[in-house]
Coordinates of all heavy atoms in Angstrom, one line a residue:
I18 N 16.0 -3.3 -0.9 CA 15.4 -2.5 0.1 C 14.7 -3.5 1.1 O 13.8 -4.2 0.6 CB 14.4 -1.5 -0.4 CG1 15.1 -0.5 -1.4 CG2 13.7 -0.7 0.7 CD1 14.2 0.4 -2.1
T19 N 15.0 -3.4 2.3 CA 14.4 -4.3 3.3 C 13.2 -3.7 3.9 O 13.3 -2.6 4.5 CB 15.4 -4.7 4.4 OG1 16.6 -5.3 3.9 CG2 14.8 -5.6 5.5
L20 N 12.0 -4.3 3.8 CA 10.8 -3.8 4.4 C 10.2 -4.8 5.4 O 10.3 -6.0 5.3 CB 9.8 -3.6 3.2 CG 10.2 -2.6 2.1 CD1 9.1 -2.6 1.1 CD2 10.5 -1.2 2.6
Q21 N 9.5 -4.2 6.3 CA 8.7 -5.0 7.3 C 7.4 -5.4 6.5 O 7.0 -4.9 5.5 CB 8.3 -4.1 8.5 CG 9.5 -3.7 9.4 CD 10.3 -4.9 9.9 OE1 9.7 -5.8 10.4 NE2 11.6 -4.9 9.8
P22 N 6.8 -6.5 7.0 CA 5.6 -7.1 6.3 C 4.5 -6.0 6.0 O 4.0 -6.0 4.9 CB 5.1 -8.1 7.3 CG 6.3 -8.6 8.0 CD 7.2 -7.4 8.2
Q23 N 4.2 -5.1 7.0 CA 3.2 -4.2 6.7 C 3.6 -3.1 5.7 O 2.8 -2.7 4.9 CB 2.8 -3.5 8.0 CG 1.4 -2.9 8.0 CD 0.3 -3.9 7.9 OE1 0.5 -5.1 8.2 NE2 -0.9 -3.5 7.4
E24 N 4.9 -2.8 5.7 CA 5.5 -1.9 4.7 C 5.4 -2.5 3.3 O 5.1 -1.8 2.3 CB 6.9 -1.5 5.0 CG 7.0 -0.7 6.3 CD 8.4 -0.6 6.9 OE1 9.3 -1.4 6.4 OE2 8.7 0.2 7.8
F25 N 5.7 -3.8 3.2 CA 5.6 -4.6 2.0 C 4.2 -4.5 1.4 O 3.9 -4.3 0.3 CB 6.1 -6.0 2.2 CG 6.2 -6.8 0.9 CD1 7.5 -6.9 0.3 CD2 5.2 -7.4 0.3 CE1 7.7 -7.6 -0.9 CE2 5.3 -8.1 -0.9 CZ 6.6 -8.2 -1.5
R26 N 3.2 -4.8 2.3 CA 1.8 -4.7 1.9 C 1.4 -3.3 1.4 O 0.7 -3.2 0.4 CB 0.9 -5.1 3.1 CG 0.9 -6.5 3.5 CD -0.2 -6.7 4.5 NE -0.2 -8.1 5.0 CZ -1.1 -8.6 5.8 NH1 -2.1 -7.8 6.2 NH2 -1.1 -9.8 6.3
L27 N 1.9 -2.3 2.1 CA 1.5 -1.0 1.7 C 2.1 -0.6 0.3 O 1.4 -0.1 -0.6 CB 2.1 0.0 2.7 CG 2.0 1.5 2.4 CD1 0.5 1.9 2.2 CD2 2.6 2.3 3.6
L28 N 3.4 -1.0 0.1 CA 4.0 -0.8 -1.2 C 3.3 -1.6 -2.3 O 3.1 -1.1 -3.4 CB 5.5 -1.1 -1.2 CG 6.3 -0.9 -2.5 CD1 6.2 0.6 -2.9 CD2 7.7 -1.3 -2.3
E29 N 3.0 -2.8 -2.0 CA 2.3 -3.7 -3.0 C 1.0 -3.0 -3.4 O 0.6 -3.0 -4.6 CB 2.0 -5.1 -2.4 CG 1.3 -6.0 -3.3 CD 1.0 -7.4 -2.7 OE1 1.4 -7.6 -1.5 OE2 0.4 -8.2 -3.3
F30 N 0.2 -2.5 -2.4 CA -1.1 -1.8 -2.8 C -0.8 -0.6 -3.7 O -1.5 -0.4 -4.7 CB -1.8 -1.4 -1.5 CG -3.2 -0.9 -1.7 CD1 -4.2 -1.8 -1.7 CD2 -3.5 0.4 -2.0 CE1 -5.5 -1.4 -1.9 CE2 -4.8 0.8 -2.2 CZ -5.8 -0.1 -2.2
L31 N 0.2 0.2 -3.4 CA 0.5 1.4 -4.2 C 1.0 1.0 -5.6 O 0.6 1.6 -6.6 CB 1.6 2.2 -3.5 CG 1.2 2.9 -2.2 CD1 2.4 3.4 -1.5 CD2 0.2 4.0 -2.5
L32 N 1.8 -0.1 -5.7 CA 2.3 -0.5 -7.0 C 1.1 -1.1 -7.8 O 1.1 -1.0 -9.1 CB 3.4 -1.6 -6.8 CG 4.7 -1.0 -6.4 CD1 5.7 -2.1 -6.1 CD2 5.3 0.0 -7.4
N33 N 0.2 -1.8 -7.2 CA -1.0 -2.3 -7.9 C -1.8 -1.2 -8.5 O -2.6 -1.4 -9.4 CB -1.8 -3.2 -7.0 CG -1.4 -4.7 -7.0 OD1 -1.1 -5.2 -8.0 ND2 -1.3 -5.3 -5.8
N34 N -1.7 0.0 -7.9 CA -2.4 1.2 -8.4 C -1.5 2.2 -8.9 O -1.8 3.4 -8.8 CB -3.3 1.7 -7.2 CG -4.4 0.8 -6.7 OD1 -5.4 0.8 -7.3 ND2 -4.1 0.0 -5.7
A35 N -0.3 1.8 -9.4 CA 0.6 2.8 -10.0 C 0.0 3.7 -11.0 O -0.8 3.2 -11.9 CB 1.8 2.0 -10.6
G36 N 0.3 5.0 -10.9 CA -0.2 5.9 -11.9 C -1.5 6.5 -11.4 O -2.1 7.4 -12.1
Q37 N -2.1 6.0 -10.3 CA -3.4 6.5 -9.8 C -3.2 7.0 -8.4 O -2.4 6.5 -7.6 CB -4.4 5.3 -9.8 CG -4.6 4.6 -11.2 CD -5.5 3.4 -11.0 OE1 -6.6 3.5 -10.5 NE2 -5.1 2.3 -11.5
I38 N -4.0 8.0 -8.1 CA -4.0 8.5 -6.7 C -4.7 7.5 -5.8 O -5.8 7.1 -6.1 CB -4.7 9.9 -6.7 CG1 -3.9 10.9 -7.5 CG2 -4.8 10.4 -5.2 CD1 -4.6 12.3 -7.6
V39 N -4.1 7.2 -4.7 CA -4.6 6.3 -3.7 C -5.0 7.1 -2.5 O -4.1 7.7 -1.9 CB -3.6 5.2 -3.4 CG1 -4.2 4.3 -2.3 CG2 -3.3 4.3 -4.6
T40 N -6.2 7.1 -2.1 CA -6.6 7.9 -0.9 C -6.3 7.2 0.4 O -6.1 6.0 0.5 CB -8.1 8.2 -1.0 OG1 -8.9 6.9 -0.8 CG2 -8.5 8.8 -2.3
R41 N -6.4 8.0 1.5 CA -6.2 7.4 2.8 C -7.2 6.3 3.1 O -6.9 5.3 3.7 CB -6.3 8.5 3.9 CG -6.0 8.1 5.3 CD -6.0 9.3 6.2 NE -5.6 9.0 7.6 CZ -6.4 8.5 8.5 NH1 -7.7 8.4 8.2 NH2 -6.0 8.2 9.7
T42 N -8.5 6.6 2.7 CA -9.5 5.6 3.0 C -9.3 4.3 2.2 O -9.4 3.2 2.7 CB -10.9 6.1 2.5 OG1 -11.2 7.3 3.3 CG2 -12.0 5.1 2.7
M43 N -8.8 4.4 1.0 CA -8.4 3.2 0.2 C -7.3 2.4 0.9 O -7.4 1.2 0.9 CB -8.0 3.6 -1.2 CG -9.1 4.1 -2.1 SD -8.5 4.9 -3.6 CE -7.8 3.4 -4.4
L44 N -6.3 3.1 1.4 CA -5.3 2.4 2.1 C -5.7 1.8 3.4 O -5.3 0.6 3.8 CB -4.1 3.4 2.4 CG -3.3 3.9 1.2 CD1 -2.4 5.0 1.6 CD2 -2.6 2.7 0.5
L45 N -6.6 2.4 4.2 CA -7.1 1.9 5.4 C -7.9 0.6 5.1 O -7.7 -0.4 5.9 CB -8.0 2.9 6.1 CG -7.4 4.0 6.8 CD1 -8.4 5.1 7.3 CD2 -6.6 3.5 8.1
E46 N -8.6 0.6 4.1 CA -9.4 -0.6 3.7 C -8.6 -1.7 3.1 O -8.7 -2.9 3.4 CB -10.6 -0.3 2.8 CG -11.6 0.6 3.5 CD -12.9 0.8 2.6 OE1 -12.8 0.5 1.4 OE2 -13.9 1.3 3.1
G47 N -7.7 -1.3 2.1 CA -7.0 -2.3 1.3 C -5.8 -2.9 2.0 O -5.4 -4.0 1.8
V48 N -5.1 -2.1 2.9 CA -3.9 -2.6 3.6 C -4.2 -3.0 5.0 O -3.7 -4.1 5.5 CB -2.8 -1.5 3.6 CG1 -1.6 -2.0 4.3 CG2 -2.5 -1.0 2.2

């Protein structure tokens, strides 16, 4: 799957928190 750099970062953040709900605020800060 080919991802743009920001999409890669977003998926990396989600995978680092796999099994947990990630909020919009967490994504805004973390990504």
Side-chain angles (χ1 to χ4, degrees):
I18 299 170
T19 302
L20 301 179
Q21 295 299 314
Q23 202 68 21
E24 295 166 345
F25 191 94
R26 287 187 183 188
L27 176 56
L28 180 59
E29 181 181 358
F30 191 90
L31 290 168
L32 287 174
N33 271 317
N34 293 277
Q37 304 175 50
I38 295 174
V39 176
T40 67
R41 184 174 185 275
T42 298
M43 290 170 65
L44 291 173
L45 284 171
E46 292 187 349
V48 180

